[in-house]
Amino acid sequence: MALLNVSFACSPHVSNPHPRYSCSLSLCPTLQKQVPKKPRTAPRNLILLSLGESASKASLLALLSASLFLADPALAFKGGGPYGQEVTRGQDLTGKDFSGKTLISQDFKTSILRQANFKGSKLLGASFFDADLTGADLSDADLRGVDFSLANVTKANLSNANLEGALATGNTSFKGSKITGADFTDVPLREDQREYLCKVADGVNPTTGNATRETLLCN
């Protein structure tokens, strides 16, 4: 328990006939050292300056990232970003030429892609959800993991395309499409679509070496 060093400095008041005494109480030096000091806080203007510098750095990084994104076309094709200055989701891209392009994870959801050319394109993980691919050329394309759910793929050219693991749920239709040498390994087709495709299936995929009929589990 801390001890108090009490000292009385007493002196009579001359003006008062009845002596009064004034006393002072002081703490000992040991206790004074133990009294915690208030933490110093940075001036408000310094805090605002620090916040301003952080915001400026964040803006600079954002601008740098955007410039790199637009400068490298390969980056623009990833994650559903813009194709050049255009957007590929929900657009009318009839007859557009995407042949030989790297379009990994590109977003073509609900787009009109009639007679579009995707010959030899790399479309791993791309989405054609509810898109219209009527008459599109998808020959020799890498379509692994592509989402064709609810898509219209009628009269399309899928010759030698690799569709391993692609999604074709819902009302996806491949009616009238060319599938010679196409690989449908692990594609969840409706039974009526499977039966239809088995009637026209033939050839062997040049990339995987799998026979089209075998990948469709035809009898």
Side-chain angles (χ1 to χ4, degrees):
M1 182 175 182
L3 297 178
L4 292 175
N5 179 20
V6 182
S7 64
F8 291 90
C10 303
S11 60
H13 289 269
V14 178
S15 60
N16 193 335
H18 302 286
R20 294 179 59 189
Y21 297 90
S22 61
C23 301
S24 63
L25 178 65
S26 62
L27 297 175
C28 66
T30 303
L31 184 58
Q32 289 177 350
K33 292 182 180 179
Q34 295 177 354
V35 177
K37 296 181 179 180
K38 293 183 180 181
R40 294 183 178 181
T41 57
R44 185 181 179 188
N45 58 344
L46 291 179
I47 296 175
L48 293 176
L49 179 61
S50 177
L51 291 175
E53 290 178 350
S54 299
S56 298
K57 290 179 181 178
S59 300
L60 181 61
L61 288 174
L63 289 173
L64 180 60
S65 299
S67 62
L68 290 174
F69 179 79
L70 294 175
D72 187 352
L75 294 177
F77 298 145
K78 296 181 180 179
Y83 172 75
Q85 296 298 319
E86 302 175 21
V87 175
T88 58
R89 177 173 179 170
Q91 302 296 308
D92 186 348
L93 301 170
T94 300
K96 187 77 174 181
D97 186 6
F98 295 101
S99 60
K101 299 291 186 182
T102 297
L103 299 162
I104 296 173
S105 298
Q106 187 70 20
D107 191 350
F108 291 97
K109 291 186 184 77
T110 69
S111 289
I112 300 173
L113 294 155
R114 291 170 175 263
Q115 288 82 46
N117 186 2
F118 290 98
K119 182 178 177 64
S121 296
K122 295 180 180 179
L123 289 152
L124 284 80
S127 178
F128 290 102
F129 180 88
D130 200 23
D132 186 354
L133 287 157
T134 303
D137 187 353
L138 295 160
S139 61
D140 302 305
D142 189 345
L143 302 172
R144 288 175 295 170
V146 167
D147 187 0
F148 286 112
S149 299
L150 302 178
N152 184 359
V153 201
T154 58
K155 299 180 181 179
N157 185 357
L158 293 165
S159 299
N160 298 325
N162 185 2
L163 292 88
E164 290 181 294
L167 294 176
T169 57
N171 295 323
T172 304
S173 176
F174 293 96
K175 208 164 188 179
S177 294
K178 299 177 183 178
I179 62 169
T180 300
D183 191 332
F184 285 89
T185 300
D186 297 327
V187 178
L189 295 165
R190 296 195 320 272
E191 193 56 34
D192 62 312
Q193 283 291 300
R194 187 186 307 280
E195 290 178 359
Y196 170 79
L197 291 174
C198 282
K199 293 177 181 178
V200 296
D202 66 341
V204 176
N205 186 274
T207 302
T208 65
N210 296 326
T212 301
R213 289 186 59 81
E214 291 180 2
T215 63
L216 286 167
L217 304 178
C218 301
N219 296 327

